[in-house]
Amino acid sequence: MSYVLNGGPRGVAPETRARVLAAIEQLGYRPNGIARSLRMNRTMTLGLVVPDTSNPFFAQLSRAIEEAAFAQDYTLLIGNAAEDDERQTTYVRTFLARQVDGLFLVPAHGPTSCVPELRRSGVPWVTLDRQIPGGGAPAVLADNRNGARAAAEHLLGHGRRSIACISGPEDVVPANERVGGWRDALAEAGVRPSEMSVWHGAFGRRAGYLGGRELLADGRFDAVFVASDEQALGVLRALQELGIRCPEDVAIASFDGIAATAYSTPALTTMAQPFGQLGQTAVARLLDQMDDPEADPHISVLPVTLVARGSCGCPDPPGGDAPAGTVEGAEQ
Amino acid sequence: MSYVLNGGPRGVAPETRARVLAAIEQLGYRPNGIARSLRMNRTMTLGLVVPDTSNPFFAQLSRAIEEAAFAQDYTLLIGNAAEDDERQTTYVRTFLARQVDGLFLVPAHGPTSCVPELRRSGVPWVTLDRQIPGGGAPAVLADNRNGARAAAEHLLGHGRRSIACISGPEDVVPANERVGGWRDALAEAGVRPSEMSVWHGAFGRRAGYLGGRELLADGRFDAVFVASDEQALGVLRALQELGIRCPEDVAIASFDGIAATAYSTPALTTMAQPFGQLGQTAVARLLDQMDDPEADPHISVLPVTLVARGSCGCPDPPGGDAPAGTVEGAEQ
DNA sequence: TTGTAGGCGTTATCAA
DNA sequence: TTGATAACGCCTACAA
């Protein structure tokens, strides 16, 4: 039975095979994957814990990982930490109890108390998007600093001189790297650190909206670099309410390259992350670790690409142009 | 060991319990959920297959279901059918092989060839959002017809008389129910069926954008009812490119109540689905079926609520007002 | 080429 | 109160 369904590890006489197949058909037999997992000591399941599944950036990232995992015959369990360390730990624990073969973690901001447990479990894991300080696990990251710098330089290239920054939570590493890149560009253009204005808030539209209202109302700035597209969409709405035109009065460049940026008015100029590659790389790294748990944890930093649209002052292309780095998993 | 960890079904002497606990600690013992599932014949896992995880509506719906399942100690497996019947079947099969205790299905458009297999498996299942013609399974649905009618009536109430409709694929039931509701309202206002213009396309922004460009360019219409928010966001962009003002020249009302509608310019007037309730109801129905597979499949139709914002001509509230039906799982 | 049996890690039943 | 043991369904090594 086993031999005919799995095609091995030894042969079956054609006549017997037919008999077995017939019996399977007749009894409506379905193999039990749980028993198989128990025996084989692998579940062909991977876990993914993200800070917030309702944030389109994480949704697109999850989708890319799912795609890559599916292609390798793995099923993906997705857990939503809701930006809460306790819930993050709960999910990690649940997944470990379910004997996932490996785990992806996009750490929520704040402490990441599940790390020791994760390490003790011996289950291979990989962090994504955000690195863990004393991690010890492979990480797959976007080139936040250079990307942010390129975005700010692009705004400078449009003749903007007074460029604010709206960023994510202060304890999120990539948010700070992006602020760093923005600072780099401004410093090189001769702006003093004391003249650089940064606003910190949650990722998500609401925070962007609030930051926009607070920072851009008085006309001090002729441009803003926003650390995430979601926030930038909120900023766009804030400008609208304030009667400030984009890009004429305030130009915007942001970061991530989510699909929605192609349909706002104006469409957003953004540094697009290579979602498909991020997913594939993450899966590849995890499989590496599963192959050889002793292999030293590799840090992969993937480049981001500028997608110039209307919000920075470039010509606004027709709605729905595909951001360069977002071909797979973006569709719609 | 089992008795101390699970607190039953029989007692353990305090002294023994302490010894067991100590051993657990010392050996770093972790219970194996797979073995447990095999023995118990339940995995505490539910499956969900949706047509397209990158569509924010399904993302928000998935999130609500995950929330409700998590609250009942179930883990949710999410599969992305990518609007492809074959892939949908693959996921259903994968989930059945993994011995999910129950399954949620949001059928992709077109045929749903996995139904016989699903039925034969004996695993309880529930359909969501879209009902299956000869289903036989419980369904949890929004009140599409009345919701759409209310939306169209609202546009009529603003004095609009020439109201087009942009809808989803022709073979998707809820899309047609929404078209039906829009027809109802127009007919009641004295519009002849021959004067009612409907455009059909995929759900998603791109389709809405294309439909908007095609249908609204020549100024024949002073309003449009759009069958999904995603499409409506595309329509908004199309109007912008055509130099048509919203709501002055063309008013918009749409359907779903996804979070992004609160941040567009103008913010979208929409019929908000009660995501939280949909999730809870779906889980409740599935647990019902699991309790008693013979219980007859109940069809739950939940009401949608009008969220009036700028796109229909109502005053545009500040960005980020929470759509009435979307409290849970919407955040941002 | 095929039948048989042991064991994966649990839980629950039976005997002590 | 506890120790021993069968069984869940699968895979595979071994014997025939």
Side-chain angles (χ1 to χ4, degrees):
Chain A
M1 218 292 312
S2 178
Y3 299 127
V4 22
L5 273 192
N6 303 333
R10 84 181 183 202
V12 177
E15 197 260 341
T16 332
R17 132 175 281 107
R19 242 170 1 121
V20 170
L21 253 25
I24 285 175
E25 179 64 26
Q26 199 198 333
L27 302 176
Y29 166 82
R30 311 209 58 91
N32 183 326
I34 293 294
R36 175 173 229 268
S37 293
L38 180 61
R39 172 64 225 247
M40 303 292 271
N41 204 24
R42 347 188 303 169
T43 54
M44 294 304 281
T45 301
L46 304 176
L48 165 66
V49 182
V50 294
D52 176 14
T53 38
S54 60
N55 181 315
F57 169 68
F58 295 122
Q60 241 174 286
L61 185 61
S62 306
R63 164 100 197 252
I65 296 172
E66 187 251 15
E67 209 75 49
F70 185 80
Q72 309 268 3
D73 291 320
Y74 281 91
T75 300
L76 191 66
L77 286 165
I78 302 179
N80 180 28
E83 290 289 7
D84 173 43
D85 184 51
E86 194 179 331
R87 195 160 158 169
Q88 178 171 263
T89 303
T90 305
Y91 258 118
V92 168
R93 236 172 243 161
T94 308
F95 290 174
L96 291 178
R98 269 157 216 267
Q99 313 293 116
V100 293
D101 295 334
L103 194 75
F104 303 102
L105 180 64
V106 183
H109 74 254
T112 311
S113 53
C114 59
V115 171
E117 203 165 336
L118 203 41
R119 197 161 321 171
R120 239 180 306 126
S121 78
V123 172
W125 57 297
V126 168
T127 58
L128 267 140
D129 187 53
R130 312 173 179 182
Q131 201 176 350
I132 289 196
V140 179
L141 311 166
D143 189 350
N144 293 302
R145 186 142 198 155
N146 288 318
R149 170 202 276 257
E153 280 169 354
H154 187 77
L155 291 170
L156 288 163
H158 275 288
R160 308 297 166 134
R161 280 296 166 271
S162 185
I163 306 177
C165 176
I166 289 179
S167 179
E170 293 193 69
D171 54 358
V172 172
V173 176
N176 291 325
E177 289 174 346
R178 293 174 197 176
V179 174
W182 162 81
R183 279 190 200 285
D184 290 349
L186 264 57
E188 204 158 295
V191 179
R192 301 167 178 215
S194 62
E195 296 165 20
M196 301 181 188
S197 295
V198 189
W199 187 91
H200 283 282
F203 284 120
R205 289 187 199 204
R206 174 127 204 95
Y209 170 77
L210 296 173
R213 291 202 69 111
E214 204 168 303
L215 206 55
L216 306 174
D218 60 8
R220 269 185 300 157
F221 301 102
D222 59 12
V224 57
F225 166 67
V226 187
S228 77
D229 291 337
E230 271 296 287
Q231 292 176 310
L233 291 165
V235 170
L236 222 41
R237 170 75 201 198
L239 291 179
Q240 171 67 24
E241 287 180 19
L242 294 166
I244 297 173
R245 292 165 309 161
C246 174
E248 294 82 353
D249 303 326
V250 170
I252 301 180
S254 58
F255 205 105
D256 283 346
I258 64 174
T261 55
Y263 292 92
S264 60
T265 299
L268 282 175
T269 292
T270 184
M271 302 305 305
Q273 299 206 36
F275 289 100
Q277 269 185 57
L278 286 168
Q280 284 161 10
T281 309
V283 170
R285 288 293 148 273
L286 190 54
L287 295 184
D288 287 352
Q289 286 289 304
M290 286 160 53
D291 263 12
D292 174 15
E294 304 307 321
D296 52 49
H298 192 271
I299 308 289
S300 310
V301 177
L302 303 188
V304 296
T305 59
L306 176 72
V307 178
R309 292 192 283 227
S311 72
C312 63
C314 282
D316 204 16
D321 69 310
T326 331
V327 183
E328 325 83 322
E331 83 104 348
Q332 49 186 325
Chain B
M1 217 292 311
S2 178
Y3 301 126
V4 22
L5 273 193
N6 301 334
R10 82 183 187 202
V12 177
E15 196 259 342
T16 333
R17 132 174 281 106
R19 238 167 7 120
V20 170
L21 254 25
I24 285 175
E25 178 65 28
Q26 198 196 332
L27 302 178
Y29 166 82
R30 311 209 59 90
N32 182 326
I34 293 294
R36 174 173 230 267
S37 293
L38 180 61
R39 175 63 229 245
M40 304 289 271
N41 203 26
R42 348 188 303 171
T43 53
M44 294 305 282
T45 301
L46 304 177
L48 164 65
V49 181
V50 294
D52 177 12
T53 38
S54 60
N55 180 314
F57 169 69
F58 296 121
Q60 242 174 287
L61 185 61
S62 306
R63 165 100 197 250
I65 296 172
E66 186 251 16
E67 208 76 49
F70 185 80
Q72 310 267 5
D73 290 321
Y74 282 91
T75 300
L76 190 66
L77 285 165
I78 301 178
N80 181 28
E83 290 289 8
D84 173 44
D85 183 52
E86 194 181 331
R87 193 158 160 171
Q88 178 171 263
T89 302
T90 305
Y91 259 119
V92 167
R93 237 172 242 161
T94 309
F95 290 175
L96 291 178
R98 269 155 217 266
Q99 312 293 117
V100 293
D101 295 335
L103 194 74
F104 302 103
L105 180 63
V106 183
H109 74 254
T112 312
S113 53
C114 59
V115 170
E117 203 165 335
L118 203 41
R119 198 164 317 171
R120 240 181 304 127
S121 78
V123 172
W125 57 296
V126 168
T127 58
L128 266 140
D129 187 53
R130 311 172 180 183
Q131 202 176 349
I132 290 196
V140 179
L141 310 166
D143 189 350
N144 293 303
R145 185 141 199 157
N146 288 317
R149 168 201 278 258
E153 281 169 354
H154 187 77
L155 291 171
L156 288 163
H158 275 288
R160 306 298 166 133
R161 280 296 166 271
S162 184
I163 306 177
C165 176
I166 289 179
S167 179
E170 293 191 70
D171 54 357
V172 171
V173 177
N176 291 326
E177 291 174 345
R178 292 174 197 175
V179 173
W182 161 82
R183 279 190 199 284
D184 291 349
L186 263 59
E188 204 158 296
V191 180
R192 301 167 178 215
S194 61
E195 296 166 20
M196 302 181 187
S197 296
V198 188
W199 188 92
H200 283 282
F203 284 119
R205 289 187 199 203
R206 175 125 204 96
Y209 170 77
L210 296 174
R213 290 201 69 112
E214 204 167 302
L215 206 54
L216 306 173
D218 59 9
R220 270 184 300 157
F221 302 102
D222 59 11
V224 57
F225 166 66
V226 187
S228 78
D229 291 338
E230 272 297 286
Q231 293 176 310
L233 291 166
V235 171
L236 222 41
R237 169 73 201 199
L239 291 180
Q240 170 68 25
E241 287 180 20
L242 294 167
I244 299 173
R245 293 165 308 162
C246 175
E248 294 82 352
D249 304 324
V250 171
I252 301 179
S254 57
F255 205 105
D256 283 346
I258 64 174
T261 56
Y263 292 93
S264 60
T265 299
L268 283 175
T269 292
T270 183
M271 303 305 305
Q273 298 207 37
F275 289 100
Q277 269 185 58
L278 286 168
Q280 283 161 11
T281 309
V283 170
R285 287 294 148 273
L286 190 55
L287 296 184
D288 287 353
Q289 286 290 303
M290 287 160 50
D291 262 12
D292 174 14
E294 303 308 320
D296 53 48
H298 192 272
I299 309 288
S300 312
V301 178
L302 304 188
V304 297
T305 58
L306 176 73
V307 178
R309 292 192 283 227
S311 71
C312 62
C314 282
D316 204 17
D321 69 309
T326 330
V327 183
E328 325 84 322
E331 82 103 351
Q332 42 189 335

